[in-house]
Amino acid sequence: MKTSPQKALLRGATSLTAFALLCGTAYAQDAAPQAADDAGEESTIVVTGSITRNPAAATASPVVSVTAEDLTKRGITTVSDALQTLTANNAGTIPASWSANGFTTGATAPSLRGFNNAYTLTLFDGASATYGSDAIAGVVNVITKRQVQCLHLDGSLGISQRGDGGEQRINATYGYGDLNEQGFNIYASAEYQHNDSLYLRDRGGLPGTADQSSVCGTAEQGCLTNSVRNGIQADGSYNGFQSTTVNFAQSAQTTIDANGNYVPVYSTGATPGILYNGSYQLLNAAAGCGSLTAQALTPAQQAGTANANNGVPNAPSVVCQQDLVNDYSMYTAATTRKGASLRGTVKVGDNAEAFIALNYYNVKTANESVNSSWAGQTAAGGNQITATNVFLPVYVCPTGTASVVGGNLLATGCNASNGTLNPNNPYAAQGQLARLSGMPDQPRRTYTDAKTYRIAAGINGSFGDGWNYSVGATASEVTLDVRNTGYIYLQGLADAIAQGTYNFVDQSANSAEARQQIFPDQNKRATSKLAQVIGTLSKDVFELPGGMVNVAVAGQYRYESINNPSSNAPNNDNPYARYYGINAVGVKGNRDIWSASYEISVPIVDQFRVKFDGSYDHYSTGQKNFSPKFEAEFKPVDQLKLRGTFSKGFRAPNLNESFQLPATGYQNSQIVCSQALYAAFCDAHKSNTAYYAGGYSPGSTNSGNPDLKAEKSTSYTLGAVLQPTRDITLTLDYWHTRIKNLITSVGIGSAIEQYYANNGVVNIPGVVVLPGQPDPQNPNALPLLGQVISSFRNQNAMMGSGIDFSADARFYLNDKITFQTKANASYLIRLQQENQEDDGSTTIWRYDGSLGGCNLTSCSGAPRFRLTWQNTVDFNQKASLTLTANYTSGYSSTSADAGGVYKDCEASAAAGQLLTYDNGDPVQCHAKGTFDLDAHGEVKVAEQFKLYFDVLNVLDGKPHYDPNAGYGLYQFNPAWQDRLFMGRYLRVGAKVDF
């Protein structure tokens, strides 16, 4: 998933009048209706994203226009929420819930036309237009109000039917002056919104627990795994003690042989030197299981673990259980948004208008997640250190040190002459080590603070004999402060173990200083900057039967930079000075872009118009391209318009793709022991099935490549607009886009297959594979696949096609009641990736109607059909009621780019892409469609006072079980079923206008 720094500006939109979705072109010169503002201006057509406002330039491209009134009637309060509901957003998206899992915290982004967010250009008043690049899938143009008069207040409170998920929101706008009468207008606005956090446990059921054992198939298939720590399985069995277990420290008695290997010590007379997992005891036995669940094991359950351990029991009669999903997994982070804007507009003489706008927006989030165990691995993106086993020494002293030897974290430098017996080691008096198990008693927490600053100014007008001009400049800066707490710092852990400064027996007794040694706060600031100057000049040059031929030219300069230091940077001097779990995302780079463009509008006759556009862009990073476009409109009768476009576009690699440090994303995979591919692996780990049961998450680590070429696209659209009356408009458009030189990473599926087939050996050019953390009970066996490492490269191609439909109709039932209906629908015909293999052959990965592509978006799938249908009854503008239906079709659970086979469930399960039962049968082959219904009502109590309410998810629908979507993090698909997970949601508010 890729998000450019400019897309962070989505957080900063205030005082919105409308936004338009412009699709199927390289630079999307399109028209969108602008709603009448509060000054009472008449609705006009504004050609957004065009370098001329001449009506002859009205576009032939498909446009979806959504006004502020539409958003209000759908119960939508932010632009980011609005983007989630766009029917053209049919490839999944970055929803707000990803904030709780470290993905683009506090931000959202759409994935239009089946492509990811890198192909969607987001504009504010067209001022950040980059028409030659980034607009392959489409453009979202947020249009702010030109003028506001008087004072406008809007406040609301929201809460779910279950009493959580609270929301508080207020915004205020004050404006003075009338552009038409006084020649100026100035307005200021401010807003505040806070959304409470929501945990998966708040809704219960399968999303809220690690126990999936209630999902059962036939007797042959069995049931899924109970992944509660030390949980009992559906068949009553106990899988054995898990070394990465609950947040109570536990230990096993051990010694070290001459080769540095640990050897468990048993009171049962076990043969020394044989590697068994010995019996554990609680370090603080007097505390028992504390707040955790005590589970007594039957003799049969204890015997079962002994049978798996060559007769040596490793389970006591009572174990402590902990459901980590229930305790720690957050669905949405607590989020606070604050913003302010100031805009002034003034008439300059009789023929010009100038403006200046200042914007500030701030988003803060607070996220919580489960911690790792003491035994772990520093994060990808650097020299990784793996501590398979962590040992408490016999003696501790202030000068003690520790290091990892053969996967064992061992302390040295302390003895009876310079140290004291380790109070954390119950076997210290016997001169023996204690193998430490368990995890910290605190979660990981991440706090983000994103600030956006933006200034824009411009002037437009006319001079001489029909010359029109505009000059504008924009500068913006986004700062993102991140603070991570509770993450294990390996050097600090090693020092604390060797020096005895941390109390593992009773973690609650540790001082803040002792905690900071192991869990030092990590802070960083990332900054992105944008500066731009653009100028346009246009003129009607001569007249044809259909009107004036207009010629326009534009020039633009833009500077972009990003400085995002890694929170867990590689440390070659000391590889221990790194954290577990903090992703090593980092990038630093900048570039200059120069562009020139033209636009020629030719109204040949009233019934037939054409337009020729072109843009040349030059990037200081080496990419350059000319992108032409042709548009045509044919109107045989007043009620029907036929339209079409053809364009060549391109997308320069973003700064992340060119310059980023190695960064890792993860996806779900499954070990299927019934398949020949995994037979040897499963046999080697048969004494510890908990090591791989329930799936695992291999990483795909990618680094930037400064030699990348630009992606290039060819697009065309064909459509019709039918207007039988002035109150009814129907549109139907077909779109097709193909992208070559696709910037992509290596597909992880091929690496998975080779890794398990060849005992860890993978031969893919340009790819390095690293094993994951070893099985602590079978340290010499092949570990799970850890990472597939490569750099971004130009290799493949993408192709997508689909159909968009819209309907807008207004009916006057009588002189007081009006009914308006609006519908938008998108159908994805085909979406596929074409891969060039090393032998010159081409393989096709299809995504449409499936969960793919997980490497492109948030593993949310590419459903074929999406529909939004809004119906409003207005009672003489005194009251109104709106019902909005939202539907997203189901999809195959297969993902071709994650190792699966398109719509072949059995083959995908065999490859480990789908979650399976014990016998290898897939748990789910197809995800159900999603439907929800939202209601909005308004009552004008007085001329200047209005009350309103929202009921989101009126039917209180529940999310459908989907263990494969969203990388398996939620057991449902958050991109399409966010409102269903929240449940019925209520909001009441008021608007006051003075």
Side-chain angles (χ1 to χ4, degrees), residues 228-260:
V228 169
R229 301 299 186 176
N230 293 318
I232 307 302
Q233 302 306 309
D235 61 1
S237 65
Y238 175 69
N239 283 349
F241 182 84
Q242 298 183 20
S243 61
T244 56
T245 189
V246 299
N247 57 16
F248 279 103
Q250 307 179 62
S251 64
Q253 190 177 16
T254 62
T255 187
I256 297 294
D257 66 16
N259 297 320

Side-chain angles (χ1 to χ4, degrees), residues 662-913:
T664 306
Y666 297 87
Q667 66 182 52
N668 237 24
S669 194
Q670 184 84 5
I671 299 296
V672 186
C673 291
S674 60
Q675 301 296 326
L677 178 64
Y678 300 101
F681 176 89
C682 293
D683 184 64
H685 298 273
K686 62 184 178 182
S687 63
N688 185 21
T689 58
Y691 175 64
Y692 58 84
Y696 70 109
S697 298
S700 177
T701 300
N702 300 289
S703 57
N705 180 357
D707 298 323
L708 289 170
K709 300 177 182 178
E711 298 179 341
K712 296 188 177 182
S713 68
T714 301
S715 301
Y716 62 87
T717 67
L718 296 170
V721 179
L722 179 64
Q723 293 180 297
T725 72
R726 61 174 296 181
D727 294 317
I728 299 176
T729 302
L730 305 172
T731 70
L732 184 68
D733 293 277
Y734 169 83
W735 62 270
H736 176 97
T737 297
R738 187 176 187 275
I739 307 168
K740 64 180 182 179
N741 290 339
L742 189 71
I743 299 172
T744 185
S745 57
V746 174
I748 199 170
S750 299
I752 289 175
E753 183 176 358
Q754 289 192 26
Y755 181 85
Y756 292 105
N758 303 326
N759 194 33
V761 177
V762 174
N763 293 309
I764 301 176
V767 174
V768 175
V769 170
L770 296 181
Q773 189 172 344
D775 180 352
Q777 296 186 26
N778 303 282
N780 297 321
L782 178 69
L784 289 165
L785 173 62
Q787 296 177 59
V788 180
I789 302 174
S790 64
S791 60
F792 292 111
R793 57 184 179 177
N794 296 99
Q795 184 179 10
N796 304 324
M798 283 283 291
M799 188 276 284
S801 62
I803 296 174
D804 292 329
F805 168 80
S806 71
D808 190 338
R810 186 185 299 268
F811 303 96
Y812 300 91
L813 304 182
N814 55 43
D815 59 349
K816 293 184 178 181
I817 301 177
T818 304
F819 173 70
Q820 184 175 17
T821 183
K822 293 185 176 183
N824 288 290
S826 295
Y827 183 79
L828 186 62
I829 297 174
R830 196 174 184 92
L831 181 67
Q832 66 184 36
Q833 181 173 322
E834 303 165 9
N835 306 302
Q836 301 299 315
E837 304 297 339
D838 296 326
D839 60 3
S841 62
T842 301
T843 59
I844 302 296
W845 289 346
R846 281 193 65 178
Y847 301 142
D848 51 279
S850 77
L851 187 60
C854 284
N855 287 336
L856 298 175
T857 58
S858 55
C859 209
S860 303
R864 287 189 180 276
F865 184 69
R866 296 201 71 197
L867 168 69
T868 297
W869 188 16
Q870 177 178 316
N871 297 277
T872 301
V873 179
D874 187 280
F875 301 91
N876 200 28
Q877 298 185 351
K878 298 293 185 181
S880 68
L881 178 64
T882 300
L883 291 178
T884 303
N886 304 285
Y887 175 75
T888 300
S889 63
Y891 49 86
S892 167
S893 297
T894 60
S895 178
D897 63 334
V901 179
Y902 178 69
K903 293 195 174 180
D904 188 331
C905 191
E906 286 69 26
S908 297
Q913 183 252 310

Side-chain angles (χ1 to χ4, degrees), residues 465-467 538-543 548-552 600-601:
D465 184 20
W467 291 92
S538 67
K539 188 180 190 314
D540 291 340
V541 291
F542 60 88
E543 188 173 9
M548 296 299 295
V549 174
N550 183 268
V551 176
I600 304 172
S601 302

Side-chain angles (χ1 to χ4, degrees), residues 56 542-550 600-612 630-634:
F542 60 88
E543 188 173 9
L544 290 177
M548 296 299 295
V549 174
N550 183 268
I600 304 172
S601 302
V602 185
I604 299 173
V605 294
D606 288 341
Q607 295 81 16
F608 186 58
R609 299 167 178 256
V610 296
K611 187 163 69 169
F612 304 89
F630 172 76
E631 303 182 22
E633 297 180 14
F634 176 54

Side-chain angles (χ1 to χ4, degrees), residues 90-422:
N90 56 2
T93 173
I94 301 174
S97 58
W98 286 117
S99 295
N101 285 279
F103 292 96
T104 59
T105 306
T108 62
S111 298
L112 302 179
R113 300 289 177 256
F115 306 102
N116 70 32
N117 59 69
Y119 301 96
T120 300
L121 178 64
T122 301
L123 312 179
F124 285 82
D125 295 321
S128 300
T130 317
Y131 296 127
S133 181
D134 295 347
I136 290 174
V139 179
V140 174
N141 194 2
V142 180
I143 305 170
T144 59
K145 291 182 176 180
R146 178 168 163 260
Q147 72 169 338
V148 174
Q149 293 177 323
C150 302
L151 176 64
H152 308 273
L153 303 174
D154 184 355
S156 64
L157 297 173
I159 194 168
S160 80
Q161 182 176 293
R162 291 156 181 81
D164 52 23
E167 174 191 282
Q168 306 88 46
R169 185 181 66 90
I170 187 170
N171 63 65
T173 302
Y174 177 76
Y176 178 76
D178 188 306
L179 282 168
N180 296 327
E181 299 294 331
Q182 298 171 279
F184 76 93
N185 180 264
I186 183 170
Y187 70 84
S189 63
E191 68 173 82
Y192 170 86
Q193 180 171 326
H194 176 79
N195 292 86
D196 296 340
S197 62
L198 190 72
Y199 288 79
L200 288 174
R201 65 171 179 258
D202 292 334
R203 291 297 175 270
L206 293 174
T209 178
D211 183 4
Q212 304 294 301
S213 64
S214 62
V215 180
C216 299
T218 65
E220 181 183 0
Q221 291 171 327
C223 301
L224 295 186
T225 302
N226 179 3
S227 293
V228 169
R229 301 299 186 176
N230 293 318
I232 307 302
Q233 302 306 309
D235 61 1
S237 65
Y238 175 69
N239 283 349
F241 182 84
Q242 298 183 20
S243 61
T244 56
T245 189
V246 299
N247 57 16
F248 279 103
Q250 307 179 62
S251 64
Q253 190 177 16
T254 62
T255 187
I256 297 294
D257 66 16
N259 297 320
N261 298 317
Y262 82 92
V263 181
V265 176
Y266 302 102
S267 60
T268 57
T271 304
I274 298 178
L275 186 63
Y276 293 144
N277 188 18
S279 296
Y280 283 79
Q281 69 176 48
L282 292 171
L283 288 181
N284 190 356
C289 288
S291 61
L292 305 183
T293 301
Q295 175 66 49
L297 299 183
T298 66
Q301 289 167 340
Q302 288 183 285
T305 60
N307 293 336
N309 258 334
N310 298 322
V312 179
N314 72 341
S317 59
V318 176
V319 294
C320 301
Q321 293 183 336
Q322 186 174 21
D323 190 338
L324 299 180
V325 171
N326 185 275
D327 285 358
Y328 297 115
S329 291
M330 185 177 281
Y331 177 62
T332 54
T335 304
T336 301
R337 297 179 171 91
K338 294 178 288 185
S341 64
L342 177 67
R343 176 176 172 127
T345 307
V346 61
K347 295 284 188 179
V348 181
D350 295 330
N351 301 311
E353 184 176 293
F355 81 95
I356 184 170
L358 304 173
N359 300 89
Y360 167 78
Y361 211 72
N362 176 222
V363 179
K364 292 183 178 180
T365 69
N367 165 53
E368 181 177 296
S369 61
V370 65
N371 217 318
S372 64
S373 62
W374 299 112
Q377 185 178 56
T378 54
N383 188 358
Q384 289 186 272
I385 302 295
T386 302
T388 306
N389 306 291
V390 175
F391 292 94
L392 300 174
V394 175
Y395 291 97
V396 293
C397 62
T399 58
T401 60
S403 59
V404 176
V405 179
N408 302 316
L409 181 62
L410 302 170
T412 59
C414 303
N415 51 47
S417 64
N418 66 354
T420 59
L421 287 176
N422 187 354

